[in-house]
């Protein structure tokens, strides 16, 4: 960034409850030489997009924090951001919570203790979920998956430990199949650019690969939980 500093921006999108209004939240960290980083927060209501972005209360964090990439989740009108305090790994990981209806920040919750420097936060069947790898590229490599069991107490339960072959860097859950407990996941590989879709069976510890994703897919994979019918007109 140099002496002039710079800025990093993170976006999250979700619906407010009970109004159902879709909103986009933009968190920006601005760096300037000789000064503490400044955190700002802006919000855009999609149904009222003509009014543009408006400034809102910044996250209630006094120290500098770093947001984790690809770790923004919306569940039941609450927008979650995974962040770490600085210096990295000293203070551990925490979860910011923003009520999209009231546009008020709620008390942060402590994430489970994770050994990885690059954890992920996702939504799994309506539950907040933490994902991280251990022993990557070793014979004991695995992905550990935690589920938030009690929001008020900040209690996490270790739900899955998925063995990983040498070529897999991380297994990210997409959906839990209710009738048999199997997990539909996508796997990030170190020997190919595109991820693969797989189904993990916790009863036998075996992953079964599904048909390949479309070519040149270099980004993340996920289920779309936005009500797109609200924005698409029938012809």
């Amino acid at each position: 960034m140099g002496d002039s500093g710079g800025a990093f921006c993170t976006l999250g999108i979700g619906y407010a409850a009970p109004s159902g209004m879709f909103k986009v939240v933009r968190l920006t960290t601005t760096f300037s030489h000789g000064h503490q980083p400044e955190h700002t927060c802006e919000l855009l209501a999609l149904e009222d997009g003509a009014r543009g972005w408006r400034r809102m209360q910044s996250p209630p964090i006094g120290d500098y924090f770093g947001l984790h990439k690809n770790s923004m989740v919306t569940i039941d009108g609450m927008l979650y951001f995974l962040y770490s305090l600085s210096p990295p790994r000293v203070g551990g990981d925490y979860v910011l919570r923003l009520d999209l209806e009231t546009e008020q920040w709620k008390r942060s919750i402590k994430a489970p203790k994770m050994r990885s420097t690059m954890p992920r936060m996702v939504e799994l069947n309506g539950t907040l979920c933490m994902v991280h790898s251990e022993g990557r590229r070793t014979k004991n490599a695995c992905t550990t998956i935690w589920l938030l069991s009690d929001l008020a107490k900040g209690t996490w339960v270790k739900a899955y430990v998925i063995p990983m072959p040498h070529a897999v860097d991380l297994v990210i859950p997409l959906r839990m199949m209710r009738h048999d407990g199997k997990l539909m996941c996508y796997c990030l590989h170190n020997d190919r650019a595109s991820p693969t879709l797989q189904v993990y069976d916790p009863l036998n510890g075996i992953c079964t690969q599904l048909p390949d994703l479309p070519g040149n897919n270099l980004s993340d994979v996920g289920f779309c939980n936005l009500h797109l019918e609200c924005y698409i007109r029938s012809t």
Side-chain angles (χ1 to χ4, degrees):
M1 289 183 294
D3 293 339
S4 60
F8 292 105
C9 176
T10 302
L11 294 172
I13 184 171
Y15 63 91
S19 69
M21 180 178 290
F22 283 91
K23 298 180 180 181
V24 182
V25 176
R26 179 168 62 192
L27 290 176
T28 303
T29 302
T30 304
F31 301 88
S32 58
H33 182 66
H35 296 83
Q36 289 292 326
E38 179 184 1
H39 305 289
T40 58
C41 183
E42 298 168 289
L43 184 142
L44 173 69
L46 297 186
E47 285 82 354
D48 194 21
R51 296 179 58 185
W53 294 91
R54 52 187 171 86
R55 191 80 170 262
M56 60 171 290
Q57 178 189 10
S58 297
I61 303 174
D63 299 324
Y64 167 66
F65 63 93
L67 292 166
H68 285 279
K69 181 182 177 182
N70 301 325
S71 291
M72 289 73 68
V73 175
T74 303
I75 301 175
D76 296 332
M78 193 74 68
L79 183 59
Y80 300 88
F81 295 87
L82 179 63
Y83 73 95
S84 293
L85 295 176
S86 182
R89 315 308 303 163
V90 172
D93 298 298
Y94 292 83
V95 180
L96 279 171
R97 301 188 297 140
L98 177 64
D99 188 322
L100 290 173
E101 185 73 25
T102 64
E103 300 179 7
Q104 296 294 315
W105 293 100
K106 302 298 183 181
R107 177 181 59 86
S108 294
I109 57 176
K110 186 80 166 63
K113 188 175 182 180
M114 298 177 284
R115 300 176 184 176
S116 172
T117 57
M118 297 182 64
R120 292 284 191 101
M121 183 174 67
V122 298
E123 175 265 337
L124 183 61
N125 291 57
T127 300
L128 202 61
C129 173
M130 292 290 177
V131 182
H132 66 101
S133 63
E134 297 184 37
R136 193 175 65 169
R137 303 188 189 184
T138 69
K139 64 178 182 179
N140 297 319
C142 65
T143 289
T144 302
I145 298 174
W146 300 80
L147 298 178
L148 182 64
S149 62
D150 190 320
L151 176 60
K153 297 180 179 179
T155 303
W156 298 85
V157 174
K158 185 184 290 188
Y160 295 90
V161 177
I162 303 177
M164 298 190 306
H166 187 271
V168 174
D169 282 340
L170 190 64
V171 180
I172 302 177
L174 291 172
R175 192 66 71 217
M176 181 190 300
M177 301 178 185
R178 298 187 183 279
H179 62 282
D180 55 12
K182 294 179 181 178
L183 280 182
M184 178 179 288
C185 315
Y186 74 99
C187 300
L188 302 179
H189 298 260
N190 54 60
D191 62 350
R192 56 182 291 176
S194 297
T196 58
L197 281 177
Q198 300 193 11
V199 172
Y200 171 70
D201 188 342
L203 296 180
N204 57 27
I206 295 177
C207 284
T208 303
Q209 184 165 330
L210 299 177
D212 284 343
L213 293 165
N216 300 320
N217 183 1
L218 304 181
S219 59
D220 279 350
V221 178
F223 279 103
C224 179
N225 58 4
L226 299 178
H227 298 286
L228 297 180
E229 68 274 8
C230 299
Y231 300 94
I232 301 176
R233 294 180 179 179
S234 59
T235 57

